[in-house]
Amino acid sequence: MEATSHRFKDNVHEALGDANLQASLAKIRSGFVPKRAAAAAALPEFETLRDQARDIKNHVLGHLDIYLERFAEAVEARGGKVHWAETAADARRIILDLARAGNARTITKSKSMVTEEIALNDALEKAGIEPIETDLGEYIIQLAKEPPSHIIAPAIHKTKEQVAELFLRHHGRYGKTERLTEPTDMVREAREVLRQKYLDADVGITGANFLVAETGSIILVTNEGNADLTLSLPKRHIVLAGIEKLVPTLEDASTMLRVLARSATGQEFSSYTTLVTGPKREGDLDGPEEFHVVLLDNGRSGMVGTEFQDMLRCIRCGACMNHCPVYGTVGGHAYGWVYPGPMGAVLTPALIGVEEAGHLPNASTFCGRCEQVCPVRIPLPRMMRAWRTREFERHLSPASQRWGLGVWAWFAKRPRAYRLVARTAAALLGRMGRSQGRLKRLPLAGGWTRVRDMPAPEGRSFVAAWKADGRPTEAPGAATARRHRGSAKEQGR
Amino acid sequence: MNTPTETAGKPARARAPATVGLFATCLVDLFRPSVGFATAKLLEEAGCRVVVPDSQTCCGQPAFNSGDRADARAIAREVIATFEPFDYVVVPSGSCGGMISHHYPELLRDDPDWGPRARRLAAKTYELMAFLVDVRGLEGVKAKLDATVTYHDSCSGLRELGVKAQPRKLLGTVEGLTLNELPGAEECCGFGGTFCVKYPEISGRMVSNKVADIRATNADLLLAGDMGCLLNMAGRLKREGSTIQVRHVAEVLADMTDTAAIGDTAAGAGRR
Ligand code: SF4
């Protein structure tokens, strides 16, 4: 998928003007948010589970090499094959080779967000292979030729009418020519169309919610059951998963599953939870003959041991974006790559570079709601701040901003100069706004006054007024404080 | 965190006299001195001796949130040196309170001298509402205001410092006051420090959504505990021509509502 994160502001502008999108975003606020809250409230041990989920992931990330090896051994011991992909290009090549070796003409796909990360569909199409998304939301946006806008509800930005229109346009060749109005009818029609695709496909590609080191199993959760058909009907099953998806044991996986669905959709458990361990064995009635797992690094191992390691705990539940006021205002496409919302604001710069995605960690108010709901307690604001620090240190932030900040910091470090300026500014602005109580336009503050007035200052500085009243400005024992301050100066750079 | 550092086994809710360093925040200092005076009055009524050190400037948040660690550290050291002589530091802002009590220790973690000093200061720094109720055990205030108000929970106070019940408890004791809860009170208003000027389009949409919720409460006065959010919401309300007044919650609790509301003129001030 081609990244447009550097055009964030343009993307935002477009998103804000899209009435359909805005209506869809309101559904997240009224749907996912209260559902998660109810699910969390209904489970007294939810907070303890979150701690456990965090600890499990931290443990794995601390011993990633060991668990990866163990997982690979377990997969191969059960007749599967593991492939290591260091980059997106490696992963594409591996998957194309596997598809060609299976003489694939069509490939069904499910739970395949990470295939967006490696732009797999494009590569398949160029090789003359037709990829078919089977998750209803993914299917819809595939028809629309759009990237997903949400990680668990990829087509949340589409209205019912837009979906009906897409189906009308694309389903004619299957003899479906009626314009549908009811969502249930649309689901039925999509199901009928997809049914044949499952049967025709030569290869099925899925992602994985978890990889279990102990058994070499992959775990998939869906609400549509499409993953099961994708992986069991074709002859070859290819799994593409990031290396951070590991958990040590089945027991650990069950802990993760308990927080995942509650955080994502407010369900206790998703409708389908599928464990796959190796290919079909002798005597098995169904299942693929070949089972391949492609383990994707693509920048992940580079995050281990850095201030961004915690991000690798992410289980892609989407809770952070559902609760993010910025995501809720602009939607997923504005973020310009696979991963939107707060998780994308941290992950995207790590995977495609902060030069490309520098806007994302900046476009946050640090309201902290994402961290409050993250089931694995990822300190998302702290990591966005860490990106800003890197940008600042590498002089990537805009010059005007750096200049303004520098001037301000110069004064903030010099109380006497600061006091003088604060007093003058309060008086000046106070006078400018006196007649109205507010300023409609303010030099150098266009970003503010374009959308709101600037309430006028009362006209004097609080500290100056307090002092002028003769009220206390020095602590008892101030002499000691001054001595300490002396040492502050020496050490302060 | 935020356990008071009074040692010698003194309970947190003791009403022993305490010397409080009032950190007014740069926005109160520059835009709204009346919040500083209201804060001082509330603290004095709660039995504290209030000192306003004149070497205070700003908590350093703009630098910290913009990735400028060196300046943020330098400012943090200034604030620590200025405020460490006090029994408590009280801030009429959850955002600046959170900066001192959460982020200073992180910022200076690896500094052998300033790290411990930052932690000690953090432990005795409080947002005003939390201090009055949780530390001083205040049950109510002597204030009167005939108004229907609504209250916005500013993000940092809410999530970093757990300020939620305290202002409501105190507002409940203001004679004549009715509180209409704001739908989505925990949703960000779109201020976010430099965010509002760096991304005005997003910020503008967020604040106009917020203002729509505020108007739907039919309140005639909007309250919150953070000047940043208040300036943002007041600025948008005024731009839309709304007559809803805006004040810092401390002004109401201190019974100091004679001044013009935020963004209003003296002529239109005071009683409705
Ligand atoms: S960062 Fe946390 S809340 Fe966001 S998707 Fe990942 S696990 Fe879920």
Side-chain angles (χ1 to χ4, degrees):
Chain A
M1 171 177 175
E2 195 203 328
T4 64
S5 304
H6 61 282
R7 291 204 302 266
F8 180 73
K9 285 197 169 182
D10 295 336
N11 297 346
V12 162
H13 184 74
E14 216 170 284
L16 291 174
D18 182 340
N20 284 335
L21 172 69
Q22 294 298 322
S24 306
L25 289 170
K27 283 190 290 198
I28 295 183
R29 261 168 72 173
S30 59
F32 287 138
V33 170
K35 279 192 191 143
R36 179 206 167 269
L43 186 70
E45 70 264 37
F46 188 62
E47 293 306 308
T48 318
L49 275 177
R50 288 174 69 188
D51 290 339
Q52 288 170 355
R54 174 198 57 204
D55 295 347
I56 289 167
K57 289 300 250 184
N58 278 350
H59 172 76
V60 174
L61 293 171
H63 307 85
L64 197 55
D65 45 348
I66 297 172
Y67 282 112
L68 280 170
E69 240 168 75
R70 202 172 286 174
F71 173 76
E73 278 163 22
V75 169
E76 308 222 328
R78 282 161 182 81
K81 178 114 183 53
V82 170
H83 310 260
W84 304 90
E86 206 182 310
T87 64
D90 293 341
R92 282 194 299 266
R93 185 179 35 75
I94 293 166
I95 293 174
L96 271 179
D97 286 349
L98 287 169
R100 287 203 188 100
N103 289 321
R105 276 168 304 127
T106 60
I107 290 183
T108 42
K109 295 174 67 196
S110 165
K111 284 303 264 188
S112 56
M113 186 168 53
V114 71
T115 67
E116 295 279 345
E117 185 182 321
I118 65 163
L120 182 64
N121 284 6
D122 265 0
L124 289 173
E125 278 166 11
K126 282 203 188 98
I129 301 167
E130 185 196 2
I132 298 135
E133 299 292 345
T134 64
D135 173 285
L136 182 60
E138 299 266 3
Y139 176 68
I140 291 166
I141 58 166
Q142 190 184 21
L143 295 183
K145 295 203 184 320
E146 280 175 28
S149 72
H150 187 283
I151 62 174
I152 60 161
I156 190 127
H157 60 289
K158 289 263 171 256
T159 61
K160 192 169 78 175
E161 291 70 29
Q162 288 171 324
V163 174
E165 180 61 35
L166 279 170
F167 282 9
L168 189 65
R169 189 139 40 91
H170 291 274
H171 287 173
R173 56 181 166 135
Y174 309 111
K176 318 262 181 211
T177 50
E178 191 190 339
R179 179 183 290 275
L180 303 172
T181 50
E182 291 307 308
T184 45
D185 294 333
M186 295 181 212
V187 172
R188 189 180 33 73
E189 187 173 294
R191 179 174 291 172
E192 281 168 22
V193 169
L194 284 172
R195 186 67 30 148
Q196 192 57 43
K197 305 274 184 192
Y198 289 119
L199 296 168
D200 293 346
D202 311 291
V203 172
I205 296 181
T206 71
N209 289 87
F210 301 102
L211 307 170
V212 186
E214 170 184 49
T215 57
S217 311
I218 68 147
I219 299 182
L220 280 163
V221 300
T222 68
N223 277 320
E224 299 169 23
N226 56 316
D228 305 58
L229 297 171
T230 304
L231 68 89
S232 56
L233 293 178
K235 283 204 170 66
R236 291 192 160 193
H237 177 198
I238 303 173
V239 180
L240 174 67
I243 52 173
E244 83 284 13
K245 294 268 165 173
L246 273 171
V247 292
T249 65
L250 284 171
E251 171 118 21
D252 295 326
S254 81
T255 304
M256 305 308 297
L257 287 168
R258 292 186 73 193
V259 293
L260 174 61
R262 285 181 169 88
S263 304
T265 48
Q267 292 166 291
E268 285 179 25
F269 233 64
S270 47
S271 308
Y272 298 85
T273 301
T274 309
L275 276 89
V276 185
T277 314
K280 172 179 175 174
R281 282 158 303 186
E282 285 244 345
D284 280 356
L285 288 179
D286 48 24
E289 285 160 19
E290 289 180 28
F291 176 69
H292 298 271
V293 183
V294 182
L295 292 173
L296 178 70
D297 184 334
N298 204 26
R300 289 163 173 78
S301 59
M303 294 164 73
V304 175
T306 71
E307 63 221 297
F308 302 109
Q309 174 171 321
D310 288 348
M311 194 61 225
L312 294 172
R313 290 206 295 268
C314 176
I315 57 173
R316 310 284 192 264
C317 71
C320 56
M321 59 201 67
N322 293 342
H323 290 77
C324 172
V326 174
Y327 177 92
T329 307
V330 304
H333 286 166
Y335 291 81
W337 203 53
V338 189
Y339 304 108
M343 55 90 80
V346 178
L347 198 55
T348 305
L351 299 185
I352 65 174
V354 71
E355 299 80 3
E356 164 73 27
H359 272 298
L360 308 189
N362 278 290
S364 163
T365 63
F366 287 150
C367 80
R369 219 170 164 203
C370 50
E371 181 174 1
Q372 189 186 21
V373 297
C374 175
V376 284
R377 302 197 192 280
I378 298 177
L380 293 153
R382 200 184 76 202
M383 287 187 292
M384 287 182 231
R385 223 178 253 120
W387 277 124
R388 297 186 190 186
T389 305
R390 289 210 177 176
E391 285 183 283
F392 187 86
E393 282 164 0
R394 289 166 57 189
H395 293 260
L396 294 173
S397 25
S400 59
Q401 202 176 297
R402 297 177 68 89
W403 181 82
L405 205 65
V407 170
W408 168 86
W410 190 92
F411 282 105
K413 287 185 288 190
R414 290 168 181 78
R416 270 207 278 188
Y418 179 92
R419 222 23 58 238
L420 198 72
V421 167
R423 218 159 82 180
T424 319
L428 194 71
L429 289 172
R431 202 162 324 133
M432 277 169 68
R434 185 149 303 156
S435 58
Q436 292 280 311
R438 55 193 180 265
L439 300 144
K440 290 203 181 303
R441 296 237 322 259
L442 197 60
L444 302 175
W448 181 284
T449 49
R450 205 177 312 153
V451 283
R452 68 219 119 187
D453 293 352
M454 175 62 86
E458 287 177 327
R460 51 181 188 156
S461 136
F462 168 65
V463 176
W466 178 271
K467 208 173 165 185
D469 278 2
R471 314 274 319 254
T473 59
E474 249 185 324
T480 334
R482 266 196 300 275
R483 268 204 304 284
H484 277 271
R485 172 176 291 288
S487 69
K489 285 272 153 58
E490 281 151 35
Q491 292 177 36
R493 273 170 299 141
Chain B
M1 75 179 305
N2 275 345
T3 39
T5 47
E6 283 182 311
T7 42
K10 262 194 268 171
R13 297 169 77 91
R15 300 215 39 159
T19 305
V20 169
L22 170 54
F23 185 84
T25 84
C26 51
L27 291 180
V28 167
D29 184 41
L30 189 65
F31 279 88
R32 198 75 185 158
S34 46
V35 173
F37 287 107
T39 303
K41 185 174 174 216
L42 285 166
L43 290 171
E44 280 164 357
E45 282 171 2
C48 303
R49 184 180 125 78
V50 179
V51 177
V52 178
D54 62 355
S55 59
Q56 60 178 286
T57 61
C58 163
C59 67
Q61 224 177 137
F64 182 58
N65 285 343
S66 303
D68 178 0
R69 298 268 155 149
D71 277 328
R73 280 195 194 100
I75 295 164
R77 284 191 293 258
E78 285 287 335
V79 172
I80 294 168
T82 302
F83 283 94
E84 60 189 357
F86 299 100
D87 297 333
Y88 295 102
V89 180
V90 174
V91 195
S93 153
S95 162
C96 313
M99 179 69 198
I100 299 173
S101 57
H102 282 268
H103 301 308
Y104 280 12
E106 184 200 324
L107 202 50
L108 296 164
R109 195 180 39 212
D110 300 327
D111 189 317
D113 178 22
W114 289 94
R117 290 171 75 177
R119 285 193 287 280
R120 278 197 298 275
L121 188 76
K124 61 182 176 185
T125 298
Y126 289 88
E127 185 277 338
L128 174 64
M129 296 297 125
F131 180 75
L132 291 175
V133 174
D134 301 341
V135 181
R136 301 303 288 179
L138 202 66
E139 295 286 338
V141 291
K142 289 188 286 300
K144 190 171 176 312
L145 186 68
D146 283 317
T148 302
V149 308
T150 194
Y151 183 84
H152 165 74
D153 293 283
S154 294
C155 300
S156 308
L158 178 70
R159 298 194 182 88
E160 290 182 346
L161 306 174
V163 178
K164 171 103 188 156
Q166 303 91 331
R168 287 176 172 78
K169 174 175 182 165
L170 298 180
L171 283 172
T173 66
V174 174
E175 207 186 315
L177 182 144
T178 311
L179 175 69
N180 281 358
E181 284 291 349
L182 175 62
E186 298 193 358
E187 261 166 54
C188 180
C189 72
F191 174 65
T194 52
F195 172 83
C196 64
V197 285
K198 282 196 285 185
Y199 297 96
E201 254 199 303
I202 312 176
S203 173
R205 182 64 61 90
M206 285 165 74
V207 70
S208 63
N209 289 344
K210 172 60 72 178
V211 157
D213 285 346
I214 293 166
R215 299 180 100 161
T217 64
N218 286 320
D220 29 45
L221 177 61
L222 165 69
L223 301 175
D226 249 287
M227 274 316 291
C229 321
L230 287 164
L231 291 172
N232 184 37
M233 295 183 291
R236 181 68 200 179
L237 281 163
K238 299 303 153 197
R239 177 64 52 98
E240 293 182 14
S242 165
T243 55
I244 297 174
Q245 294 197 339
V246 180
R247 287 185 188 280
H248 192 285
V249 63
E251 297 173 39
V252 171
L253 296 177
D255 207 16
M256 289 170 66
T257 51
D258 289 337
T259 51
I262 297 169
D264 283 340
T265 52
R271 310 299 166 199
R272 286 164 297 117

